[in-house]
Amino acid sequence: MATWSALVGARRDDKATALGRVLAKVEEAGVRVGGFAQERVLDAAGETLGWDVVRIGAPVRQPLARRGEQPDVCDYAFSALGFETAAAWALDPRAELVVVGGVGKLEAAGRGHSPLLLRLLEEGTHRHALFCIRDTSLAAVALSIPDPESHLQLPCEPSQLDEFADGLVELVRASHRRA
């Protein structure tokens, strides 16, 4: 079984900036990072239209959720193609650290990226996964999978992000030794 870590934050926490800092330090250490993050899509007035998945390390994006008349969760309708694309990016065998940058209510309900989370953990490869989890969904998600190797709760100090990144590098190296 593969190992994983969690970066946990509330809606108001700047998870994107925290993730960016962590990944920059991990990549600086020579770790190949793959997967995706989720980015908010705003309209001209600054209102949230929905979310896109964005490939880590590449300027490629795919719509994931948009406000709709028949929402799945909250006010958003989700795209099957968005989930399929995100999963393909996360399953790239070249990645040593795989980021799943959006775990929330849908995954807490066993939908959305949930099949991907399980697949990554069941692979048993030399990879380590980093799941970015909304704090309100943490308990439901974590109860359905093995305990994480490490975690960091936002907000936190920049030095804590750096220490977390250093720990991820060590976990990736330990995954290689087990392989």
Side-chain angles (χ1 to χ4, degrees):
M1 181 159 286
T3 58
W4 69 285
S5 294
L7 183 62
V8 181
R11 175 187 300 256
R12 69 188 176 286
D13 293 326
D14 190 355
K15 291 182 284 298
T17 299
L19 178 62
R21 182 177 180 120
V22 167
L23 294 183
K25 190 153 175 60
V26 167
E27 289 173 328
E28 185 179 288
V31 173
R32 290 183 309 273
V33 180
F36 63 92
Q38 289 181 189
E39 288 185 7
R40 186 183 315 264
V41 177
L42 304 174
D43 65 15
E47 296 294 318
T48 301
L49 287 176
W51 298 88
D52 284 355
V53 287
V54 179
R55 189 171 192 171
I56 300 292
V60 182
R61 59 190 318 118
Q62 176 69 41
L64 179 66
R66 295 294 185 267
R67 290 202 179 274
E69 292 182 20
Q70 297 181 341
D72 295 307
V73 173
C74 300
D75 294 326
Y76 300 102
F78 289 84
S79 161
L81 180 58
F83 287 114
E84 291 167 13
T85 301
W89 294 338
L91 294 170
D92 181 343
R94 295 170 293 183
E96 297 170 299
L97 177 66
V98 178
V99 177
V100 177
V103 179
K105 289 181 182 180
L106 211 55
E107 290 74 24
R111 299 172 38 214
H113 298 300
S114 284
L116 173 61
L117 303 180
L118 295 174
R119 182 169 176 188
L120 286 169
L121 294 176
E122 291 170 354
E123 273 187 339
T125 66
H126 63 279
R127 303 188 308 167
H128 185 77
L130 174 59
F131 301 154
C132 299
I133 305 175
R134 175 77 64 81
D135 62 346
T136 54
S137 302
L138 177 61
V141 170
L143 287 174
S144 66
I145 56 180
D147 290 341
E149 295 293 318
S150 67
H151 68 280
L152 183 63
Q153 178 78 41
L154 300 176
C156 67
E157 296 297 320
S159 62
Q160 292 173 285
L161 290 169
D162 293 343
E163 289 172 20
F164 183 68
D166 291 341
L168 289 174
V169 170
E170 290 307 312
L171 288 166
V172 167
R173 290 181 179 149
S175 294
H176 281 287
R177 288 191 294 270
R178 283 193 304 272

PDB file of all heavy atoms in Angstrom, residues 38 64-65 71-74 76-79 83 102-115 117 134 137 140-141:
ATOM      1  N   GLN A  38      -6.716  22.360  -7.572  1.00  0.00           N
ATOM      2  CA  GLN A  38      -7.981  22.941  -8.010  1.00  0.00           C
ATOM      3  C   GLN A  38      -7.902  24.447  -7.822  1.00  0.00           C
ATOM      4  O   GLN A  38      -7.425  24.923  -6.795  1.00  0.00           O
ATOM      5  CB  GLN A  38      -9.153  22.358  -7.219  1.00  0.00           C
ATOM      6  CG  GLN A  38      -9.417  20.933  -7.582  1.00  0.00           C
ATOM      7  CD  GLN A  38     -10.585  20.290  -6.862  1.00  0.00           C
ATOM      8  OE1 GLN A  38     -10.755  19.100  -6.976  1.00  0.00           O
ATOM      9  NE2 GLN A  38     -11.384  21.023  -6.130  1.00  0.00           N
ATOM     10  N   LEU A  64     -13.882  21.657 -13.895  1.00  0.00           N
ATOM     11  CA  LEU A  64     -14.316  20.614 -12.980  1.00  0.00           C
ATOM     12  C   LEU A  64     -15.726  20.865 -12.470  1.00  0.00           C
ATOM     13  O   LEU A  64     -16.547  19.953 -12.423  1.00  0.00           O
ATOM     14  CB  LEU A  64     -13.355  20.499 -11.793  1.00  0.00           C
ATOM     15  CG  LEU A  64     -13.724  19.450 -10.752  1.00  0.00           C
ATOM     16  CD1 LEU A  64     -13.631  18.043 -11.347  1.00  0.00           C
ATOM     17  CD2 LEU A  64     -12.839  19.572  -9.531  1.00  0.00           C
ATOM     18  N   ALA A  65     -16.011  22.089 -12.072  1.00  0.00           N
ATOM     19  CA  ALA A  65     -17.328  22.398 -11.500  1.00  0.00           C
ATOM     20  C   ALA A  65     -17.746  23.806 -11.904  1.00  0.00           C
ATOM     21  O   ALA A  65     -16.923  24.708 -11.974  1.00  0.00           O
ATOM     22  CB  ALA A  65     -17.275  22.292  -9.981  1.00  0.00           C
ATOM     23  N   PRO A  71     -27.327  21.193  -9.262  1.00  0.00           N
ATOM     24  CA  PRO A  71     -26.041  20.997  -8.600  1.00  0.00           C
ATOM     25  C   PRO A  71     -25.909  19.623  -7.948  1.00  0.00           C
ATOM     26  O   PRO A  71     -26.887  19.006  -7.556  1.00  0.00           O
ATOM     27  CB  PRO A  71     -26.024  22.100  -7.546  1.00  0.00           C
ATOM     28  CG  PRO A  71     -27.461  22.372  -7.269  1.00  0.00           C
ATOM     29  CD  PRO A  71     -28.189  22.132  -8.562  1.00  0.00           C
ATOM     30  N   ASP A  72     -24.634  19.173  -7.858  1.00  0.00           N
ATOM     31  CA  ASP A  72     -24.320  17.921  -7.169  1.00  0.00           C
ATOM     32  C   ASP A  72     -24.101  18.180  -5.686  1.00  0.00           C
ATOM     33  O   ASP A  72     -24.609  17.460  -4.839  1.00  0.00           O
ATOM     34  CB  ASP A  72     -23.038  17.295  -7.752  1.00  0.00           C
ATOM     35  CG  ASP A  72     -23.220  16.882  -9.194  1.00  0.00           C
ATOM     36  OD1 ASP A  72     -24.185  16.150  -9.471  1.00  0.00           O
ATOM     37  OD2 ASP A  72     -22.398  17.294 -10.027  1.00  0.00           O
ATOM     38  N   VAL A  73     -23.295  19.180  -5.374  1.00  0.00           N
ATOM     39  CA  VAL A  73     -22.967  19.562  -4.010  1.00  0.00           C
ATOM     40  C   VAL A  73     -22.895  21.084  -3.980  1.00  0.00           C
ATOM     41  O   VAL A  73     -22.399  21.694  -4.915  1.00  0.00           O
ATOM     42  CB  VAL A  73     -21.614  18.961  -3.560  1.00  0.00           C
ATOM     43  CG1 VAL A  73     -21.207  19.494  -2.205  1.00  0.00           C
ATOM     44  CG2 VAL A  73     -21.694  17.447  -3.519  1.00  0.00           C
ATOM     45  N   CYS A  74     -23.348  21.673  -2.889  1.00  0.00           N
ATOM     46  CA  CYS A  74     -23.397  23.138  -2.787  1.00  0.00           C
ATOM     47  C   CYS A  74     -24.190  23.638  -3.982  1.00  0.00           C
ATOM     48  O   CYS A  74     -25.259  23.146  -4.251  1.00  0.00           O
ATOM     49  CB  CYS A  74     -22.005  23.730  -2.706  1.00  0.00           C
ATOM     50  SG  CYS A  74     -21.061  23.160  -1.291  1.00  0.00           S
ATOM     51  N   TYR A  76     -22.848  23.632  -7.162  1.00  0.00           N
ATOM     52  CA  TYR A  76     -22.021  23.280  -8.310  1.00  0.00           C
ATOM     53  C   TYR A  76     -22.423  21.950  -8.948  1.00  0.00           C
ATOM     54  O   TYR A  76     -22.734  20.992  -8.258  1.00  0.00           O
ATOM     55  CB  TYR A  76     -20.544  23.210  -7.904  1.00  0.00           C
ATOM     56  CG  TYR A  76     -20.041  24.519  -7.362  1.00  0.00           C
ATOM     57  CD1 TYR A  76     -19.896  24.723  -5.998  1.00  0.00           C
ATOM     58  CD2 TYR A  76     -19.737  25.565  -8.225  1.00  0.00           C
ATOM     59  CE1 TYR A  76     -19.453  25.938  -5.504  1.00  0.00           C
ATOM     60  CE2 TYR A  76     -19.290  26.780  -7.739  1.00  0.00           C
ATOM     61  CZ  TYR A  76     -19.155  26.965  -6.381  1.00  0.00           C
ATOM     62  OH  TYR A  76     -18.728  28.164  -5.899  1.00  0.00           O
ATOM     63  N   ALA A  77     -22.353  21.952 -10.278  1.00  0.00           N
ATOM     64  CA  ALA A  77     -22.499  20.717 -11.051  1.00  0.00           C
ATOM     65  C   ALA A  77     -21.084  20.330 -11.488  1.00  0.00           C
ATOM     66  O   ALA A  77     -20.313  21.178 -11.945  1.00  0.00           O
ATOM     67  CB  ALA A  77     -23.385  20.949 -12.266  1.00  0.00           C
ATOM     68  N   PHE A  78     -20.745  19.061 -11.321  1.00  0.00           N
ATOM     69  CA  PHE A  78     -19.387  18.591 -11.587  1.00  0.00           C
ATOM     70  C   PHE A  78     -19.297  17.866 -12.916  1.00  0.00           C
ATOM     71  O   PHE A  78     -20.233  17.210 -13.353  1.00  0.00           O
ATOM     72  CB  PHE A  78     -18.916  17.680 -10.452  1.00  0.00           C
ATOM     73  CG  PHE A  78     -18.645  18.432  -9.186  1.00  0.00           C
ATOM     74  CD1 PHE A  78     -19.670  18.739  -8.312  1.00  0.00           C
ATOM     75  CD2 PHE A  78     -17.366  18.862  -8.881  1.00  0.00           C
ATOM     76  CE1 PHE A  78     -19.437  19.455  -7.146  1.00  0.00           C
ATOM     77  CE2 PHE A  78     -17.112  19.583  -7.735  1.00  0.00           C
ATOM     78  CZ  PHE A  78     -18.155  19.876  -6.857  1.00  0.00           C
ATOM     79  N   SER A  79     -18.121  17.959 -13.539  1.00  0.00           N
ATOM     80  CA  SER A  79     -17.852  17.376 -14.842  1.00  0.00           C
ATOM     81  C   SER A  79     -17.130  16.038 -14.701  1.00  0.00           C
ATOM     82  O   SER A  79     -16.046  15.982 -14.100  1.00  0.00           O
ATOM     83  CB  SER A  79     -16.983  18.346 -15.649  1.00  0.00           C
ATOM     84  OG  SER A  79     -16.341  17.687 -16.706  1.00  0.00           O
ATOM     85  N   PHE A  83     -12.972  15.081 -13.668  1.00  0.00           N
ATOM     86  CA  PHE A  83     -12.441  14.061 -12.759  1.00  0.00           C
ATOM     87  C   PHE A  83     -11.549  13.068 -13.491  1.00  0.00           C
ATOM     88  O   PHE A  83     -10.502  12.666 -12.984  1.00  0.00           O
ATOM     89  CB  PHE A  83     -13.581  13.317 -12.047  1.00  0.00           C
ATOM     90  CG  PHE A  83     -14.261  14.142 -11.002  1.00  0.00           C
ATOM     91  CD1 PHE A  83     -15.577  14.526 -11.158  1.00  0.00           C
ATOM     92  CD2 PHE A  83     -13.588  14.546  -9.854  1.00  0.00           C
ATOM     93  CE1 PHE A  83     -16.213  15.289 -10.192  1.00  0.00           C
ATOM     94  CE2 PHE A  83     -14.208  15.314  -8.885  1.00  0.00           C
ATOM     95  CZ  PHE A  83     -15.524  15.693  -9.051  1.00  0.00           C
ATOM     96  N   GLY A 102      -7.540  18.736  -4.193  1.00  0.00           N
ATOM     97  CA  GLY A 102      -8.914  19.149  -3.926  1.00  0.00           C
ATOM     98  C   GLY A 102      -9.737  18.015  -3.377  1.00  0.00           C
ATOM     99  O   GLY A 102     -10.326  17.247  -4.127  1.00  0.00           O
ATOM    100  N   VAL A 103      -9.764  17.885  -2.059  1.00  0.00           N
ATOM    101  CA  VAL A 103     -10.555  16.843  -1.408  1.00  0.00           C
ATOM    102  C   VAL A 103     -11.513  17.548  -0.452  1.00  0.00           C
ATOM    103  O   VAL A 103     -11.076  18.223   0.478  1.00  0.00           O
ATOM    104  CB  VAL A 103      -9.647  15.847  -0.645  1.00  0.00           C
ATOM    105  CG1 VAL A 103     -10.469  14.783   0.044  1.00  0.00           C
ATOM    106  CG2 VAL A 103      -8.634  15.210  -1.598  1.00  0.00           C
ATOM    107  N   GLY A 104     -12.803  17.397  -0.725  1.00  0.00           N
ATOM    108  CA  GLY A 104     -13.795  18.110   0.069  1.00  0.00           C
ATOM    109  C   GLY A 104     -15.068  17.317   0.275  1.00  0.00           C
ATOM    110  O   GLY A 104     -15.034  16.100   0.464  1.00  0.00           O
ATOM    111  N   LYS A 105     -16.200  18.022   0.204  1.00  0.00           N
ATOM    112  CA  LYS A 105     -17.500  17.412   0.501  1.00  0.00           C
ATOM    113  C   LYS A 105     -17.825  16.230  -0.399  1.00  0.00           C
ATOM    114  O   LYS A 105     -18.377  15.236   0.060  1.00  0.00           O
ATOM    115  CB  LYS A 105     -18.614  18.455   0.375  1.00  0.00           C
ATOM    116  CG  LYS A 105     -18.618  19.479   1.456  1.00  0.00           C
ATOM    117  CD  LYS A 105     -19.772  20.451   1.255  1.00  0.00           C
ATOM    118  CE  LYS A 105     -19.761  21.521   2.328  1.00  0.00           C
ATOM    119  NZ  LYS A 105     -20.877  22.464   2.144  1.00  0.00           N
ATOM    120  N   LEU A 106     -17.524  16.354  -1.660  1.00  0.00           N
ATOM    121  CA  LEU A 106     -17.838  15.273  -2.600  1.00  0.00           C
ATOM    122  C   LEU A 106     -17.068  14.005  -2.234  1.00  0.00           C
ATOM    123  O   LEU A 106     -17.629  12.906  -2.212  1.00  0.00           O
ATOM    124  CB  LEU A 106     -17.490  15.729  -4.016  1.00  0.00           C
ATOM    125  CG  LEU A 106     -18.327  15.185  -5.160  1.00  0.00           C
ATOM    126  CD1 LEU A 106     -19.808  15.437  -4.958  1.00  0.00           C
ATOM    127  CD2 LEU A 106     -17.866  15.780  -6.470  1.00  0.00           C
ATOM    128  N   GLU A 107     -15.794  14.156  -1.907  1.00  0.00           N
ATOM    129  CA  GLU A 107     -14.972  13.002  -1.540  1.00  0.00           C
ATOM    130  C   GLU A 107     -15.390  12.451  -0.176  1.00  0.00           C
ATOM    131  O   GLU A 107     -15.353  11.240   0.043  1.00  0.00           O
ATOM    132  CB  GLU A 107     -13.493  13.396  -1.541  1.00  0.00           C
ATOM    133  CG  GLU A 107     -12.947  13.657  -2.939  1.00  0.00           C
ATOM    134  CD  GLU A 107     -13.407  14.968  -3.561  1.00  0.00           C
ATOM    135  OE1 GLU A 107     -13.769  15.915  -2.806  1.00  0.00           O
ATOM    136  OE2 GLU A 107     -13.412  15.055  -4.798  1.00  0.00           O
ATOM    137  N   ALA A 108     -15.821  13.314   0.716  1.00  0.00           N
ATOM    138  CA  ALA A 108     -16.320  12.868   2.017  1.00  0.00           C
ATOM    139  C   ALA A 108     -17.556  11.991   1.855  1.00  0.00           C
ATOM    140  O   ALA A 108     -17.811  11.105   2.668  1.00  0.00           O
ATOM    141  CB  ALA A 108     -16.632  14.064   2.913  1.00  0.00           C
ATOM    142  N   ALA A 109     -18.278  12.219   0.759  1.00  0.00           N
ATOM    143  CA  ALA A 109     -19.461  11.414   0.447  1.00  0.00           C
ATOM    144  C   ALA A 109     -19.116  10.194  -0.411  1.00  0.00           C
ATOM    145  O   ALA A 109     -20.009   9.486  -0.876  1.00  0.00           O
ATOM    146  CB  ALA A 109     -20.505  12.272  -0.266  1.00  0.00           C
ATOM    147  N   GLY A 110     -17.814   9.943  -0.634  1.00  0.00           N
ATOM    148  CA  GLY A 110     -17.387   8.782  -1.407  1.00  0.00           C
ATOM    149  C   GLY A 110     -17.463   8.980  -2.910  1.00  0.00           C
ATOM    150  O   GLY A 110     -17.400   8.016  -3.671  1.00  0.00           O
ATOM    151  N   ARG A 111     -17.572  10.221  -3.359  1.00  0.00           N
ATOM    152  CA  ARG A 111     -17.676  10.524  -4.791  1.00  0.00           C
ATOM    153  C   ARG A 111     -16.499  11.389  -5.221  1.00  0.00           C
ATOM    154  O   ARG A 111     -15.514  11.485  -4.522  1.00  0.00           O
ATOM    155  CB  ARG A 111     -19.022  11.220  -5.045  1.00  0.00           C
ATOM    156  CG  ARG A 111     -20.191  10.338  -4.666  1.00  0.00           C
ATOM    157  CD  ARG A 111     -21.559  11.001  -4.688  1.00  0.00           C
ATOM    158  NE  ARG A 111     -21.753  11.944  -5.762  1.00  0.00           N
ATOM    159  CZ  ARG A 111     -22.498  13.050  -5.626  1.00  0.00           C
ATOM    160  NH1 ARG A 111     -23.091  13.323  -4.485  1.00  0.00           N
ATOM    161  NH2 ARG A 111     -22.649  13.876  -6.636  1.00  0.00           N
ATOM    162  N   GLY A 112     -16.597  12.007  -6.375  1.00  0.00           N
ATOM    163  CA  GLY A 112     -15.552  12.918  -6.831  1.00  0.00           C
ATOM    164  C   GLY A 112     -14.222  12.219  -7.040  1.00  0.00           C
ATOM    165  O   GLY A 112     -14.119  11.263  -7.807  1.00  0.00           O
ATOM    166  N   HIS A 113     -13.201  12.682  -6.345  1.00  0.00           N
ATOM    167  CA  HIS A 113     -11.855  12.113  -6.461  1.00  0.00           C
ATOM    168  C   HIS A 113     -11.669  10.868  -5.586  1.00  0.00           C
ATOM    169  O   HIS A 113     -10.569  10.305  -5.568  1.00  0.00           O
ATOM    170  CB  HIS A 113     -10.788  13.144  -6.086  1.00  0.00           C
ATOM    171  CG  HIS A 113     -10.756  14.358  -6.956  1.00  0.00           C
ATOM    172  ND1 HIS A 113     -10.517  14.308  -8.315  1.00  0.00           N
ATOM    173  CD2 HIS A 113     -10.938  15.679  -6.662  1.00  0.00           C
ATOM    174  CE1 HIS A 113     -10.537  15.526  -8.807  1.00  0.00           C
ATOM    175  NE2 HIS A 113     -10.795  16.372  -7.834  1.00  0.00           N
ATOM    176  N   SER A 114     -12.684  10.428  -4.872  1.00  0.00           N
ATOM    177  CA  SER A 114     -12.544   9.271  -3.966  1.00  0.00           C
ATOM    178  C   SER A 114     -11.976   8.027  -4.643  1.00  0.00           C
ATOM    179  O   SER A 114     -11.071   7.396  -4.092  1.00  0.00           O
ATOM    180  CB  SER A 114     -13.871   8.927  -3.299  1.00  0.00           C
ATOM    181  OG  SER A 114     -14.131   9.844  -2.284  1.00  0.00           O
ATOM    182  N   PRO A 115     -12.465   7.638  -5.826  1.00  0.00           N
ATOM    183  CA  PRO A 115     -11.860   6.461  -6.472  1.00  0.00           C
ATOM    184  C   PRO A 115     -10.370   6.649  -6.746  1.00  0.00           C
ATOM    185  O   PRO A 115      -9.590   5.702  -6.627  1.00  0.00           O
ATOM    186  CB  PRO A 115     -12.649   6.324  -7.782  1.00  0.00           C
ATOM    187  CG  PRO A 115     -13.959   6.995  -7.512  1.00  0.00           C
ATOM    188  CD  PRO A 115     -13.625   8.136  -6.578  1.00  0.00           C
ATOM    189  N   LEU A 117      -8.243   8.539  -4.918  1.00  0.00           N
ATOM    190  CA  LEU A 117      -7.541   8.412  -3.636  1.00  0.00           C
ATOM    191  C   LEU A 117      -7.290   6.943  -3.320  1.00  0.00           C
ATOM    192  O   LEU A 117      -6.167   6.555  -2.974  1.00  0.00           O
ATOM    193  CB  LEU A 117      -8.343   9.044  -2.500  1.00  0.00           C
ATOM    194  CG  LEU A 117      -8.725  10.518  -2.611  1.00  0.00           C
ATOM    195  CD1 LEU A 117      -9.513  10.950  -1.382  1.00  0.00           C
ATOM    196  CD2 LEU A 117      -7.520  11.390  -2.822  1.00  0.00           C
ATOM    197  N   ARG A 134     -10.094  19.758   2.683  1.00  0.00           N
ATOM    198  CA  ARG A 134     -10.864  20.761   3.413  1.00  0.00           C
ATOM    199  C   ARG A 134     -11.080  20.245   4.826  1.00  0.00           C
ATOM    200  O   ARG A 134     -11.428  19.083   5.033  1.00  0.00           O
ATOM    201  CB  ARG A 134     -12.202  20.982   2.712  1.00  0.00           C
ATOM    202  CG  ARG A 134     -13.161  21.903   3.423  1.00  0.00           C
ATOM    203  CD  ARG A 134     -12.841  23.381   3.280  1.00  0.00           C
ATOM    204  NE  ARG A 134     -12.929  23.892   1.937  1.00  0.00           N
ATOM    205  CZ  ARG A 134     -14.058  24.244   1.343  1.00  0.00           C
ATOM    206  NH1 ARG A 134     -15.205  24.128   1.957  1.00  0.00           N
ATOM    207  NH2 ARG A 134     -14.025  24.714   0.118  1.00  0.00           N
ATOM    208  N   SER A 137     -14.080  18.185   5.851  1.00  0.00           N
ATOM    209  CA  SER A 137     -14.223  16.872   5.232  1.00  0.00           C
ATOM    210  C   SER A 137     -13.186  15.874   5.719  1.00  0.00           C
ATOM    211  O   SER A 137     -13.248  14.696   5.375  1.00  0.00           O
ATOM    212  CB  SER A 137     -14.127  16.997   3.709  1.00  0.00           C
ATOM    213  OG  SER A 137     -15.105  17.873   3.224  1.00  0.00           O
ATOM    214  N   ALA A 140     -14.363  12.425   7.618  1.00  0.00           N
ATOM    215  CA  ALA A 140     -15.022  11.440   6.756  1.00  0.00           C
ATOM    216  C   ALA A 140     -14.038  10.807   5.786  1.00  0.00           C
ATOM    217  O   ALA A 140     -14.087   9.595   5.550  1.00  0.00           O
ATOM    218  CB  ALA A 140     -16.170  12.096   5.996  1.00  0.00           C
ATOM    219  N   VAL A 141     -13.136  11.600   5.224  1.00  0.00           N
ATOM    220  CA  VAL A 141     -12.159  11.072   4.273  1.00  0.00           C
ATOM    221  C   VAL A 141     -11.160  10.176   4.990  1.00  0.00           C
ATOM    222  O   VAL A 141     -10.879   9.052   4.567  1.00  0.00           O
ATOM    223  CB  VAL A 141     -11.438  12.217   3.531  1.00  0.00           C
ATOM    224  CG1 VAL A 141     -10.267  11.699   2.718  1.00  0.00           C
ATOM    225  CG2 VAL A 141     -12.419  12.974   2.651  1.00  0.00           C
TER     226      VAL A 141
END
